[in-house]
Amino acid sequence: MRLRALLETEALGLRLLGGEEELDRTVRGVMTTDLRDPSRYLSGGELVLTGLAWRRNSADSEPFVRILASAGVAGLAAGEAELGDIPDDLVSACLRNRLPLFAVNEDVAFATITEYVVRQVSGERAGDLAAVVDRHRRLMTSGPAGGGPDVVLDLLTTDLDLRAWVLSPTGRQIAGAGEPLAPGVCAALASEHLAAVRTGRRGPHRISIQGITYSLFPIRGHGRGAAGPGSRDVRESVLSDWLLAVEADAGDWPAERLDLLQGVTQLIAVERDRRDAARTVRRRLAQEVLELVQTGAPPAEIAARLRVAAPVLLPGLGSAPHWQVVVARVDWDGGDIPGGPVAQSLLEEILVDPSVSGPEPSDRIAVAHAGDEAIALVPLPSLSGEGGEDKGPESALHADLLLASVRDPLQAGLDGDGRLTLGVSAAVHSAEGLRGALEEARHARRVAAARPGRVCAAGHHELASHVLLLPFVPDDVRRAFTARLLDPLRDYDRRHRAELIPTLEAFLDCDGSWTRCATRLHLHVNTLRYRVGRIEQLTARDLSRLEDKLDFFLALRMS
């Protein structure tokens, strides 16, 4: 299709800002991005959609446009939702580089344009390819009742004789045509995909398992309302993007068939974006409940908020007799990538039973994030005994089992410079217990963080007894405990203005990472080592030992 055809479709809400003489360019595909440098994902001929999250100031426009022009894209469409009118510097840069520029009305979703372009481009191809793509619009606009990704994959099987599956980054099957893949195969496919993405290899990626060759296509949900819009680093989205696994060797495919599969991934991404947009409601409700818990709101107020949120957080249950809290944190070396949103998306996936297929099971998981930490409220139905008595939670989460089936894919996605730590609380039966459950899960995550390995978890049963009994420790014992550990540091800070107490807090908060702690405090690592050494000298403790770390942590919390 030609660029000119886009302007002739009023429903797309496009307005031409420059490049009228280039409107006869051919559009071969569409890509949504807010990366500062999306060149690795461009092959030429795309209509690029952007929300302008990459633009920090006027100097950013020229480099971005030059990258697009060098890659041979057909045109650029910029959304007006974030900044209103398109900046003049972007208009000028497009004129200088002869790149057609469109403004997208704020009322038009990028998904609408993506669907239209993919349908038109694919519809122009001949034979069986056009027959498949022509039906995608009906499938993707009909919602879950129309079958969603499963029916799209069924069409690939019936029309092109291709068996395909949509997998989550942890290897859980979201959708599939025919027999489900074995869990071991799913985990291996996800691991290969994540390793390829982390090393910058372009898709499709090929892997042979038990004599069968699979081709892996990334499904990137970077449209409006997606889980990770505006990503500037692959680490911000690698642990949340789906993938399409096709039982075939795409290495010998003609360009037309590769284009079709890329179009299929874009259409599935539209469905992914829609589901993620619906998930934001649960995230917001979880955030509201957790803010009440963390600020010490009365249990009656928390319980009332949970009752209001129940129709969304607990569809079909009405109420949850028991709750568990799970805390997760993703840390990247250098500390320059925010871990909270990554941990949030990942926790939503990890908490789904890996044996359950489909995208809907996460509808009963509410995950919020604060800073680099993600927090999940997990409802647990009760197991009723004779006479209807409550026998406790039917399926409580166990930390050692949560990561068992997803450890290999996650290690491939973390790729030597990232770390996931996770803590699980005991089950509580009322809103009154949520604050204690949250603290318990946080303590457990710190226990996990003290262990070696890229993927670690700990449960409430692994906490030391003094952590569990902390609320019942008499005040005089608390004061003696904190004075013995912290008074020498306070006295030293008072005399020398050495800031040993803030250094200790930051060091523990960074889980003993010298690099992250030095970065947070704006110190040289050697200066940090000197301060930690002084803390150990004054207190006769060793901050490389888990027991001493926990004692310092408790002393700071009780002081």
Side-chain angles (χ1 to χ4, degrees):
M1 65 176 296
R2 306 286 182 180
L3 278 176
R4 191 180 306 279
L6 299 174
L7 287 175
E8 297 170 355
T9 307
E10 293 183 5
L12 300 183
L14 295 176
R15 189 174 76 259
L16 183 64
L17 299 181
E20 185 174 1
E21 66 281 2
E22 304 290 337
L23 289 180
D24 287 327
R25 291 186 181 186
T26 300
V27 180
R28 298 187 180 91
V30 62
M31 175 192 180
T32 299
T33 186
D34 276 312
L35 295 170
R36 296 172 68 83
D37 180 5
S39 56
R40 73 170 71 179
Y41 305 116
L42 296 171
S43 57
E46 296 93 347
L47 172 67
V48 174
L49 306 175
T50 181
L52 299 178
W54 50 265
R55 182 185 179 276
R56 297 169 184 167
N57 55 57
S58 59
D60 291 336
S61 292
E62 183 68 24
F64 180 77
V65 172
R66 282 183 181 174
I67 289 170
L68 300 187
S70 299
V73 305
L76 173 66
E80 296 178 323
E82 291 294 329
L83 302 179
D85 292 338
I86 306 304
D88 292 339
D89 49 90
L90 180 59
V91 177
S92 300
C94 288
L95 289 173
R96 283 192 297 271
N97 290 276
R98 299 180 63 83
L99 181 66
L101 174 64
F102 302 89
V104 183
N105 188 284
E106 62 181 354
D107 295 328
V108 177
F110 281 4
T112 300
I113 300 174
T114 298
E115 184 182 35
Y116 177 86
V117 172
V118 171
R119 187 173 71 253
Q120 293 299 317
V121 171
S122 301
E124 294 171 357
R125 298 184 182 124
D128 57 356
L129 306 182
V132 174
V133 178
D134 281 345
R135 281 184 271 181
H136 282 172
R137 181 172 183 267
R138 170 178 56 83
L139 297 169
M140 284 306 173
T141 57
S142 58
D150 280 299
V151 181
V152 177
L153 301 184
D154 284 339
L155 284 178
L156 288 179
T157 300
T158 57
D159 287 47
L160 299 182
D161 196 26
L162 291 175
R163 297 181 67 205
W165 301 263
V166 176
L167 304 179
S168 77
T170 63
R172 186 175 65 87
Q173 183 170 312
I174 304 294
E179 291 295 320
L181 291 172
V185 174
C186 289
L189 293 175
S191 298
E192 171 63 20
H193 166 73
L194 291 173
V197 172
R198 287 303 314 275
T199 55
R201 285 185 278 151
R202 298 188 64 173
H205 317 300
R206 288 174 288 166
I207 179 176
S208 182
I209 301 176
Q210 300 173 356
I212 300 175
T213 299
Y214 298 88
S215 296
L216 311 178
F217 297 80
I219 300 172
R220 297 186 176 91
H222 293 318
R224 296 177 182 180
S231 295
R232 293 178 293 276
D233 190 297
V234 69
R235 291 175 292 178
E236 295 186 44
S237 60
V238 66
L239 294 175
S240 59
D241 287 339
W242 290 352
L243 68 138
L244 175 66
V246 180
E247 188 182 298
D249 187 346
D252 56 1
W253 281 5
E256 290 81 3
R257 181 158 291 203
L258 284 172
D259 285 349
L260 173 69
L261 266 294
Q262 294 292 354
V264 169
T265 64
Q266 291 172 342
L267 287 167
I268 294 176
V270 172
E271 181 71 8
R272 169 70 191 273
D273 291 345
R274 176 160 37 199
R275 294 179 186 275
D276 280 349
R279 182 177 292 176
T280 59
V281 177
R282 293 194 303 280
R283 289 176 170 177
R284 178 175 56 78
L285 290 173
Q287 196 80 38
E288 292 174 357
V289 172
L290 286 168
E291 285 176 0
L292 291 175
V293 171
Q294 294 184 101
T295 56
E301 184 178 352
I302 299 173
R305 192 71 191 90
L306 283 173
R307 284 194 297 272
V308 172
V312 175
L313 297 183
L314 308 168
L317 289 181
S319 63
H322 296 85
W323 295 86
Q324 272 182 289
V325 176
V326 182
V327 173
R329 178 168 175 148
V330 173
D331 293 296
W332 302 101
D333 290 354
D336 56 334
I337 302 298
V342 179
Q344 183 180 45
S345 296
L346 197 55
L347 195 51
E348 287 169 336
E349 178 58 38
I350 290 173
L351 292 175
V352 177
D353 184 344
S355 65
V356 176
S357 63
E360 287 82 9
S362 62
D363 286 351
R364 288 182 181 171
I365 298 167
V367 184
H369 80 82
D372 288 332
E373 187 179 70
I375 305 166
L377 292 174
V378 183
L380 301 172
S382 283
L383 180 64
S384 298
E386 294 183 6
E389 75 274 15
D390 184 358
K391 296 175 63 177
E394 182 179 6
S395 53
L397 302 173
H398 296 277
D400 53 349
L401 300 178
L402 273 180
L403 300 178
S405 63
V406 301
R407 191 175 301 274
D408 289 345
L410 291 180
Q411 287 177 338
L414 294 167
D415 190 38
D417 66 346
R419 192 156 192 255
L420 168 68
T421 52
L422 185 145
V424 182
S425 78
V428 296
H429 67 278
S430 69
E432 189 172 14
L434 283 178
R435 183 174 177 82
L438 176 58
E439 291 303 315
E440 195 172 66
R442 282 175 166 159
H443 285 311
R445 192 205 65 79
R446 289 183 178 276
V447 171
R451 296 171 175 168
R454 291 288 171 182
V455 180
C456 298
H460 61 93
H461 59 283
E462 299 179 64
L463 298 181
S465 59
H466 61 281
V467 176
L468 294 176
L469 298 176
L470 186 60
F472 306 100
V473 175
D475 289 343
D476 56 340
V477 176
R478 288 177 180 238
R479 285 192 293 269
F481 179 73
T482 58
R484 189 164 54 248
L485 279 176
L486 301 183
D487 278 1
L489 306 182
R490 293 192 180 108
D491 292 342
Y492 192 90
D493 281 348
R494 200 161 34 244
R495 294 195 308 269
H496 302 282
R497 298 182 180 178
E499 296 188 336
L500 295 185
I501 292 289
T503 300
L504 176 61
E505 291 175 331
F507 187 75
L508 295 176
D509 193 46
C510 292
D511 297 326
S513 169
W514 298 99
T515 303
R516 291 203 310 275
C517 185
T519 300
R520 176 178 295 188
L521 295 175
H522 306 290
L523 297 175
H524 191 279
V525 172
N526 289 341
T527 303
L528 176 62
R529 291 185 184 277
Y530 172 80
R531 289 188 183 180
V532 171
R534 179 63 68 184
I535 292 170
E536 293 175 332
Q537 182 184 27
L538 291 170
T539 61
R541 297 297 187 111
D542 182 355
L543 276 167
S544 66
R545 297 178 68 246
L546 173 61
E547 291 84 355
D548 287 343
K549 286 181 181 177
L550 284 173
D551 283 346
F552 275 121
F553 174 76
L554 292 172
L556 289 168
R557 293 301 297 268
M558 291 189 295
S559 63

